[in-house]
Amino acid sequence: MADLNSIQTLLLDGDGVLWRSDEPIPGLNELFRVLEERNINWALLTNNATRAAQHYVDKFEKFGIRASVENIFTSTGVTAAYLREHFDEGAGVYIIGEIGLAETLRGAGFDVFSGEEMPEKPIAAVVVAMDRSLTYRKLDIATRLIRDGAAFIGTNPDKTIPTPYGLSPGSGTMQAALIASTDVEPIIIGKPQTAIFEAAMQHFNACPETTFMVGDRLETDILGAVRAGIGSILVLTGASTREMIAQQDYAPDYVYESIKELAEALNNYHG
């Protein structure tokens, strides 16, 4: 088992780990105090495709934690990097998603279309994330475009998202509708794929042996960490439960009730 005492870089999920919606999960400030005291690098790795990186910087500051966009790695940012690698600048992209996705892809140089009007130019890719204004018409347009040959890309596979009221539909729910209507499986960019882990580790010049991921989802955070060859920590404040671990053919290195318990453990390991 990987050793907590070896941590030099900590990768953190947001929803269900650090906060629920706009409410911090108890232990948030204690955890970041330990990270600062022990000089541990940290990054937020979020599959949430509804917000741009600056939103999270502002959110951390609201909670009294200093952050910069260099600490933030979003599935939208990694999706933009993937599109730049595979399509020409200015290519048409139709999105099912929200403002954070649209802003990020436009900033990366793509001609972004959304809404309930069929795009007036050829579309290279349909990018699907969570969309709280999803309609039948949007699904209809995306279905036609994918069936006509546009690439089908999912920012992340999360079927649900944690909220203060319980689990609500996520990006994977929207993608599932299009899988059913197109018979095409999407290319998934965010966790559990390794691109977002690799981007953060490259930024910090981090070694797999000294890097851990903290998440609340076995099928994204923990599986992604396993695939990336880094340590993994599951906290039980979000989507996955202790009972679910036995149902998988992989497991986290450590399980804690919350980041408060994790902060105490890190402090004890270094104390």
Side-chain angles (χ1 to χ4, degrees):
M1 179 183 290
D3 186 355
L4 281 181
N5 198 47
S6 70
I7 296 178
Q8 296 180 11
T9 304
L10 197 63
L11 311 179
L12 298 151
D13 184 44
D15 292 321
V17 175
L18 303 179
W19 51 68
R20 294 188 191 92
S21 188
D22 291 325
E23 294 299 319
I25 288 176
L28 179 65
N29 293 100
E30 291 93 325
L31 176 62
F32 279 87
R33 276 199 295 271
V34 172
L35 298 184
E36 184 174 1
E37 289 170 1
R38 308 306 176 190
N39 199 29
I40 295 174
N41 294 316
W42 68 271
L44 177 73
L45 271 60
T46 177
N47 270 356
N48 189 333
T50 66
R51 303 289 189 176
Q54 185 59 46
H55 166 81
Y56 293 102
V57 174
D58 297 339
K59 189 164 193 166
F60 276 114
E61 290 181 355
K62 174 185 170 185
F63 296 146
I65 296 165
R66 290 178 297 176
S68 73
V69 292
E70 294 184 347
N71 295 108
I72 313 300
F73 294 82
T74 69
S75 62
T76 54
V78 181
T79 297
Y82 176 88
L83 291 173
R84 284 197 300 266
E85 290 178 5
H86 291 84
F87 302 102
D88 293 334
E89 184 176 357
V93 176
Y94 180 78
I95 69 167
I96 289 179
E98 300 186 3
I99 187 66
L101 177 62
E103 289 178 349
T104 301
L105 297 187
R106 287 193 182 103
F110 294 99
D111 196 0
V112 177
F113 297 86
S114 61
E116 299 188 341
E117 296 294 330
M118 182 65 75
E120 65 269 17
K121 68 178 285 185
I123 295 298
V126 174
V127 179
V128 182
M130 191 176 81
D131 187 343
R132 285 167 287 200
S133 299
L134 183 66
T135 64
Y136 180 88
R137 177 58 177 161
K138 291 180 182 180
L139 289 172
D140 185 33
I141 292 171
T143 296
R144 296 184 189 188
L145 292 171
I146 293 168
R147 284 191 170 275
D148 285 342
F152 179 13
I153 297 170
T155 58
N156 61 285
D158 301 45
K159 294 177 182 178
T160 59
I161 58 169
T163 74
Y165 316 104
L167 296 177
S168 295
S171 299
T173 300
M174 288 76 188
Q175 293 156 19
L178 290 170
I179 292 170
S181 64
T182 65
D183 296 317
V184 176
E185 291 287 335
I187 299 166
I188 299 296
I189 304 299
K191 299 173 291 185
Q193 303 304 320
T194 59
I196 195 167
F197 296 88
E198 292 166 354
M201 292 170 66
Q202 182 177 8
H203 175 74
F204 290 110
N205 196 27
C207 298
E209 297 79 9
T210 59
T211 304
F212 275 71
M213 175 72 204
V214 183
D216 69 308
R217 287 180 180 270
L218 288 163
E219 72 274 19
T220 54
D221 303 313
I222 305 306
L223 178 57
V226 170
R227 289 177 173 177
I230 63 176
S232 59
I233 301 167
L234 179 71
V235 292
L236 303 176
T237 47
S240 295
T241 65
R242 197 180 296 271
E243 291 71 27
M244 291 177 180
I245 298 172
Q247 302 170 15
Q248 311 299 326
D249 58 3
Y250 57 89
D253 293 299
Y254 297 89
V255 181
Y256 293 106
E257 291 297 322
S258 69
I259 52 172
K260 181 176 179 63
E261 189 175 290
L262 171 59
E264 293 169 356
L266 285 172
N267 199 44
N268 290 337
Y269 265 87
H270 286 277

